Amino acid sequence: MLELSVEKWSDAIEEMKAHFPEHWEEVAVNKDRVKLAMDYERYAQIEAAGMIHLIVARAAGKIVGYFCLILNRHLHYKNDLMAMSDFYYITPTARTSRNAIQMFEFAENTLRERGVSVISATTKVHKDKSEFLDYMGWKWTEKQYSKVLKPCA
């Protein structure tokens, strides 16, 4: 059973950092041109502005998952607070459908308590979580495309 909590970025980041290389290796695309380089100073600024909502999943006191969302008033819908998923991850050893369900339900409930109107998330094409998001009652609302402009090294 996971222990889920909303935690401050600054309190959890040092322990979360240990999972970032494995997380990046699993989900990143264009790894030959775009390398993992987290901007921790920027995250600290966003946290100071009250714009990070971080769900941390622990088992036996150790972080085994996280769901980081950025909160902001949308430029088109200024009366509504939106939450955009920055990243979510559960370590392979803790990865069960029930754990994912619990983490997302906890996120939804705590975001609702903060007055969030809409949550948005993306899923990688090669690690597609559409079936899970559909099951959770999320709706497919947009397609996102990307194109790497940075030349090969």
Side-chain angles (χ1 to χ4, degrees):
M1 180 95 174
L2 292 182
E3 305 151 19
L4 295 163
S5 60
V6 176
E7 297 190 20
K8 290 176 58 178
W9 172 269
S10 52
D11 291 341
I13 186 55
E14 289 307 317
E15 189 177 351
M16 288 171 51
K17 283 180 183 179
H19 298 291
F20 290 167
E22 177 182 48
H23 181 177
W24 178 79
E25 191 62 42
E26 182 178 337
V27 300
V29 295
N30 307 307
K31 294 177 196 171
D32 59 329
R33 295 192 235 177
V34 182
K35 303 297 182 190
L36 180 63
M38 300 286 284
D39 189 344
Y40 297 113
E41 288 180 26
R42 185 106 178 265
Y43 276 101
Q45 293 168 354
I46 294 169
E47 178 184 40
M51 296 170 60
I52 292 181
H53 190 80
L54 178 64
I55 305 303
V56 175
R58 295 180 182 274
K62 303 280 187 204
I63 292 178
V64 295
Y66 40 76
F67 189 179
C68 181
L69 301 106
I70 307 300
L71 308 182
N72 209 355
R73 299 236 173 243
H74 196 287
L75 293 172
H76 303 175
Y77 312 104
K78 70 179 184 178
N79 297 322
D80 289 283
L81 184 60
M82 307 292 185
M84 179 61 194
S85 170
D86 187 25
F87 53 84
Y88 52 90
Y89 183 71
I90 297 177
T91 60
T93 57
R95 204 170 285 170
T96 68
S97 60
R98 189 68 206 141
N99 284 346
I101 290 167
Q102 287 177 322
M103 187 166 74
F104 271 68
E105 285 177 342
F106 187 82
E108 290 176 18
N109 290 334
T110 56
L111 287 164
R112 191 177 293 110
E113 289 170 4
R114 285 189 74 171
V116 169
S117 298
V118 178
I119 310 170
S120 298
T122 59
T123 183
K124 300 290 186 177
V125 173
H126 72 287
K127 286 288 190 180
D128 191 4
K129 304 295 183 223
S130 296
E131 188 174 305
F132 170 75
L133 293 167
D134 287 342
Y135 174 81
M136 295 298 298
W138 293 50
K139 302 295 180 223
W140 184 19
T141 56
E142 294 185 30
K143 278 189 176 182
Q144 180 175 329
Y145 287 81
S146 64
K147 183 177 184 178
V148 178
L149 301 177
K150 183 178 182 179
C152 289

